[in-house]
Amino acid sequence: MKKIVLITGATSGIGLGCARKFAKNGDKLILTGRNEKRLAEISKELTEKGTQVLTMVFDVRDREKAKACFDELPEEWKDIDVLVNNAGLALGLEPEHEGNPEDWETMIDTNIKGLLTMTRLIVPGMVERNHGHIINIGSVAGDAAYAGGNVYCATKAAVKALTDGLRIDVASTSLRVTNLKPGLVQTNFSNVRFKGDEERAQKVYTGIKPLTGDDIADVAVYVANAPAHVQIAEVLILATHQASGSVIARGY
């Protein structure tokens, strides 16, 4: 049976990987993001392969715009089966006492408040139908801080706590809640973190074969299609030569 899968931050990286993998699985997709042109391109790509796609352009930091988009959802798209809270970012690697407060606010508003906004909009309907799966994209950074990670690590620790808390809140229902915690994934993540400094971004992946967005998407599709009585609560996904958020063996 086809699921309706909603993916935030679907225009690149893990979000795009999830869009393509869930499409290949035969599911219907609601894709959200800030880049209207890119969403249209992805929608065209997937629609031409037979996937039903609906796109919504908004920033998860904008609660009112997000709510307005969902208020206007066509009736046949309202019963969302899987919510993939993927939208998120890191900015900077400065010591905490030298950080940019605007960067802090962007990370907190996107990674924490944006996730909460989407959860508040979508999960009540899932509870009412007693059916649904919430997949939050956390990070190995949420397990332990690393040098320069301070606020970003804190936001991903919050994702873990919010995911665990939601799982407790819906334990009396048939909903399932999963935290996927990727390690080093080569997407535009580092380009965003270093504000377009391509050379610095590439150094992050030097000497190691990192994960890809598709690798994380494979896990997302797997957990979403586990038997109904199986709740895969948390998955830590690392590159082979990465041991933790701060331990990476390069050149092997």
Side-chain angles (χ1 to χ4, degrees):
M1 181 178 176
K2 286 186 178 181
K3 298 182 181 72
I4 298 177
V5 180
L6 189 154
I7 304 165
T8 65
T11 57
S12 64
I14 293 172
L16 177 56
C18 285
R20 288 171 172 159
K21 294 287 183 174
F22 277 105
K24 192 174 180 180
N25 194 57
D27 298 315
K28 297 169 60 177
L29 304 179
I30 301 174
L31 306 180
T32 84
R34 296 175 296 170
N35 188 329
E36 184 173 8
K37 179 181 178 183
R38 187 72 185 117
L39 279 175
E41 291 170 351
I42 295 164
S43 177
K44 181 174 184 292
E45 170 198 330
L46 298 178
T47 300
E48 288 176 350
K49 294 178 181 178
T51 302
Q52 291 179 263
V53 181
L54 185 149
T55 61
M56 295 191 293
V57 183
F58 64 87
D59 188 324
V60 293
R61 294 178 295 171
D62 188 340
R63 187 180 297 115
E64 294 306 313
K65 180 65 180 296
K67 184 178 184 303
C69 285
F70 283 98
D71 286 345
E72 296 173 3
L73 259 183
E75 198 63 35
E76 64 271 22
W77 288 92
K78 287 184 181 294
D79 292 350
I80 294 164
D81 299 291
V82 180
L83 167 62
V84 181
N85 273 318
N86 166 72
L89 77 168
L91 292 171
L93 269 177
E94 297 84 6
E96 190 170 323
H97 58 284
E98 297 176 2
N100 182 336
E102 291 182 3
D103 289 347
W104 298 345
E105 289 179 7
T106 299
M107 287 186 280
I108 291 167
D109 289 349
T110 305
N111 301 356
I112 301 176
K113 293 181 182 178
L115 179 146
L116 283 169
T117 290
M118 299 304 299
T119 300
R120 187 66 181 86
L121 286 170
I122 305 305
V123 175
M126 291 180 169
V127 171
E128 184 178 344
R129 297 187 298 275
N130 196 33
H131 173 78
H133 195 153
I134 302 92
I135 300 174
N136 291 333
I137 305 299
S139 172
V140 64
D143 289 344
Y146 55 77
N150 44 75
V151 175
Y152 173 70
C153 294
T155 66
K156 289 304 184 178
V159 170
K160 174 175 170 53
L162 291 170
T163 306
D164 291 345
L166 180 61
R167 192 180 306 109
I168 293 167
D169 292 337
V170 300
S172 61
T173 75
S174 295
L175 275 65
R176 301 184 293 182
V177 185
T178 300
N179 182 18
L180 297 187
K181 305 188 301 182
L184 198 63
V185 184
Q186 188 163 17
T187 62
N188 67 345
F189 177 88
S190 292
N191 300 71
V192 172
R193 166 167 257 171
F194 300 128
K195 300 179 180 178
D197 187 335
E198 183 70 26
E199 183 178 352
R200 192 177 179 193
Q202 286 306 309
K203 286 181 180 178
V204 173
Y205 311 107
T206 299
I208 185 172
K209 184 172 182 178
L211 301 168
T212 68
D214 284 351
D215 294 327
I216 311 308
D218 282 335
V219 181
V221 172
Y222 175 79
V223 302
N225 287 280
H229 70 287
V230 177
Q231 177 174 216
I232 300 173
E234 189 171 281
V235 184
L236 175 64
I237 310 136
L238 301 175
T240 298
H241 295 292
Q242 179 175 16
S244 70
S246 58
V247 177
I248 299 172
R250 301 180 187 273
Y252 292 93

